[in-house]
Amino acid sequence: MTALTVWRYDTPFGAEAAAVRLKSLAERKVLTVHDAITIAWMPQAKEPVIGHLKHSTAAMAGKGSILGGLVGMVVLAPVAGAAVGAGVASAAARLRKSGIDEDFVKELGAQLTPGSSALLVLSSDGKLDEVRPAMERELERGDVVLLHAELSEDAPVAIVEAMEELRKPGGPAES
């Protein structure tokens, strides 16, 4: 099963360290990473900087980041002028087929704020008994919030379709 996991940190640099841990987990074949991005949002910046980690699967190489598009819908669209509530509701409605529900979209939008960072990971084949210890140290420190959603099999296609719908002339992104 494919999962979307968000590791959100209280500082703009926490996600970079998490990316190193993620790479180690992937190299040990604890999980298969399909897409991963970092988001660093400096305290005074108007919007975050999104960094794309290399795809570990050949099927994803050369394709755009699905997660970058998701963050664009949830975080950057409201910054660009869309009504925040309307933007979240619109994104959630379009993502319903992916397995990402409105509560997850709202929480993601609420967590990605100036002064924070996050690592978003689209993965499968996760061995929780090996992933959990890598995260427990951070959870004990209290500087990370984890969001997790089990996705439908066609989630990547549903996310791409939602992004395309929002980009259409006269679509919600232009309201």
Side-chain angles (χ1 to χ4, degrees), residues 30-43:
V30 173
L31 72 161
T32 301
V33 177
H34 302 288
D35 194 11
I37 62 171
T38 57
I39 301 167
W41 201 333
M42 300 308 284

Side-chain angles (χ1 to χ4, degrees), residues 42-87:
M42 300 308 284
Q44 302 302 320
K46 291 183 181 179
E47 62 184 50
V49 174
I50 299 173
H52 191 246
L53 305 178
K54 291 186 177 182
H55 297 293
S56 64
T57 59
M60 290 300 292
K63 292 185 179 181
S65 172
I66 293 168
L67 297 178
L70 175 64
V71 170
M73 282 192 302
V74 175
V75 177
L76 299 180
V79 170
V84 175

Side-chain angles (χ1 to χ4, degrees), residues 7 12 21 28 31 43 45-46 63 71-72 76 86-88 96 98 102 105 109 130 134 144 162-163:
W7 308 2
R21 282 188 291 287
R28 292 184 0 234
L31 72 161
K46 291 183 181 179
K63 292 185 179 181
V71 170
L76 299 180
V88 168
R96 191 167 290 126
S98 72
E102 186 169 353
V105 173
E130 294 183 52
V144 65
M163 289 184 301

Side-chain angles (χ1 to χ4, degrees), residues 16-170:
E16 288 299 322
V20 172
R21 282 188 291 287
L22 177 66
K23 182 178 179 181
S24 172
L25 292 170
E27 287 172 350
R28 292 184 0 234
K29 304 209 184 309
V30 173
L31 72 161
T32 301
V33 177
H34 302 288
D35 194 11
I37 62 171
T38 57
I39 301 167
W41 201 333
M42 300 308 284
Q44 302 302 320
K46 291 183 181 179
E47 62 184 50
V49 174
I50 299 173
H52 191 246
L53 305 178
K54 291 186 177 182
H55 297 293
S56 64
T57 59
M60 290 300 292
K63 292 185 179 181
S65 172
I66 293 168
L67 297 178
L70 175 64
V71 170
M73 282 192 302
V74 175
V75 177
L76 299 180
V79 170
V84 175
V88 168
S90 176
R94 286 175 171 72
L95 292 169
R96 191 167 290 126
K97 289 190 303 187
S98 72
I100 299 172
D101 64 18
E102 186 169 353
D103 289 338
F104 187 90
V105 173
K106 285 179 183 176
E107 186 65 20
L108 178 61
Q111 291 292 332
L112 299 177
T113 58
S116 70
S117 64
L119 172 67
L120 281 73
V121 182
L122 190 61
S123 65
S124 61
D125 307 319
K127 299 174 186 163
L128 290 179
D129 58 330
E130 294 183 52
V131 173
R132 185 171 286 122
M135 293 304 300
E136 282 178 350
R137 289 184 294 273
E138 295 173 333
L139 290 169
E140 287 172 6
R141 284 195 318 258
D143 66 342
V144 65
V145 172
L146 293 179
L147 304 176
H148 180 85
E150 294 290 331
L151 304 181
S152 65
E153 210 170 291
D154 63 344
V157 172
I159 295 169
V160 169
E161 287 173 355
M163 289 184 301
E164 289 172 355
E165 180 72 22
L166 286 173
R167 288 187 191 126
K168 287 181 182 176

